Amino acid sequence: MTSTTARQGDQAMLDALLGMFFEMVLSAVGTFIVKLFGVENAAEIATVIIGLGFIVLGFAVALWGH
């Protein structure tokens, strides 16, 4: 196996691991929001919280990348 192939395999494994982690966190956050605010308001609250999370994640990636 060449070095490039090994790196591609490692990248694919890391992508899968991060995707699984993101799904678990998203599911946990959704469950928490529904239990905290009730089913009626969950969609509106979840949208705001997830949007703020994406903004924070974007800032973190931008700062970490420099």
Side-chain angles (χ1 to χ4, degrees):
M1 183 173 3
T2 65
S3 177
T4 303
T5 306
R7 270 189 257 133
Q8 288 173 344
D10 290 345
Q11 183 66 37
M13 188 182 307
L14 181 62
D15 288 345
L17 181 63
L18 290 175
M20 182 185 73
F21 177 74
F22 180 75
E23 290 293 326
M24 289 182 352
V25 168
L26 195 58
S27 176
V29 167
T31 302
F32 174 75
I33 290 169
V34 168
K35 287 184 179 185
L36 187 64
F37 295 105
V39 177
E40 310 83 39
N41 298 326
E44 291 85 10
I45 300 297
T47 303
V48 170
I49 291 175
I50 291 171
L52 290 173
F54 280 135
I55 291 170
V56 169
L57 182 64
F59 276 121
V61 168
L63 292 176
W64 192 15
H66 290 310

